[in-house]
Amino acid sequence: MSYTVLIPARLASTRLPGKPLADIAGLPMVVRVAQRAALAGALRCVVAADDESIVAACAQHGIEAILTRKDHPSGSDRLAEACVLLGLTGDDVVVNVQGDEPLIDPALIDAVAKLLRTRPEASMGTAAHPIGSLSDYRNPNVVKVVCDAKGLASYFSRAPIPFSRDHADEAWWDTAAPKAGHAGFTPLRHIGIYSYKAGFLREFPQLLPAPTEAMEQLEQLRALWHGHRIAVHITPDAPGAGVDTPEDLERVRAVFAN
């Protein structure tokens, strides 16, 4: 199928200034991300940058990049502008690959893109994987998603959902000690990759923010609030580590050094 990968890249970062240009084994991180994304089946892979230095770094390494405004409040707004600049409209499929995911699996990109061809009722697609530990289940930095019987997202939360009333203090999904009524079910960790129909992506920033979005600080809840459906691809494995902190950067550098 035909789709476009867009990689939003913002130079400013509170925890890791200049993050898109951080060196990973001789290449800027955003270039590493684009090279991984290019291994997927996308027709085109484009970096949507907020600074000329990112555009120049991409051009130096043969990566297509466009300059977007600096004042966008979110990555979705930046991608909406990118859709306009690239002439993407209507049912064109766009996959948002985060600019700090140099270990992203190309197969995951393909799978999330294909959701919008197989699930026409959905305006967005995303991914999740089973949570393996009680600490991750309780961690508010680990975003959880609950899906319905059709594989569409019911809700996203930083809280431990679904909540087992009778087994709140244990890993109720542990197959070694299954709990009554819980067999074959597991909590899911949301993976921050999205596919969109370009027409919806261009309209998304115009939707009023949702109260749930403000409380949870999860932008995807705006889509659910306004009645849009989000299809979820379940992958058995966690994706490669993203880069949010200097410690994350060192771990990823070590992977590329081996």
Side-chain angles (χ1 to χ4, degrees), residues 50-239:
D50 75 339
D51 193 273
E52 287 281 10
S53 62
I54 301 174
V55 176
C58 290
Q60 182 180 355
H61 297 285
I63 302 298
E64 184 178 3
I66 55 174
L67 185 65
T68 58
R69 294 186 353 232
K70 290 182 179 290
D71 60 349
H72 285 305
S74 73
S76 297
D77 292 89
R78 191 171 312 286
L79 295 187
E81 182 189 358
C83 284
V84 174
L85 294 174
L86 296 172
L88 301 175
T89 59
D91 289 334
D92 290 338
V93 173
V94 171
V95 177
N96 173 6
V97 173
Q98 300 298 324
D100 56 6
E101 295 279 354
L103 300 176
I104 187 76
D105 182 359
L108 181 63
I109 299 173
D110 278 335
V112 173
K114 290 175 182 176
L115 284 173
L116 295 188
R117 294 300 186 218
T118 59
R119 307 305 302 270
E121 72 272 36
S123 299
M124 295 173 58
T126 191
H129 70 88
I131 289 176
S133 70
L134 191 59
S135 59
D136 279 350
Y137 177 62
R138 291 173 170 171
N139 186 347
N141 294 316
V142 173
V143 178
K144 276 70 70 174
V145 59
V146 172
C147 300
D148 65 16
K150 296 181 179 179
L152 299 169
S154 297
Y155 193 66
F156 297 83
S157 182
R158 298 183 183 278
I161 60 170
F163 183 81
S164 178
R165 184 195 63 179
D166 297 328
H167 305 284
D169 296 326
E170 54 191 318
W172 48 262
W173 61 93
D174 186 349
T175 56
K179 307 299 183 292
H182 296 10
F185 195 73
T186 185
L188 297 171
R189 178 177 188 162
H190 178 232
I191 301 170
I193 181 174
Y194 298 98
S195 56
Y196 312 83
K197 294 173 182 175
F200 168 75
L201 181 54
R202 291 177 63 166
E203 295 171 4
F204 181 78
Q206 310 307 317
L207 297 176
L208 290 175
T212 50
E213 172 190 0
M215 287 186 284
E216 298 262 18
Q217 290 297 294
L218 297 174
E219 194 179 46
Q220 64 269 35
L221 290 174
R222 187 186 313 181
L224 294 183
W225 179 263
H226 289 281
H228 291 277
R229 306 309 307 272
I230 302 176
V232 182
H233 169 73
I234 309 299
T235 178
D237 303 313

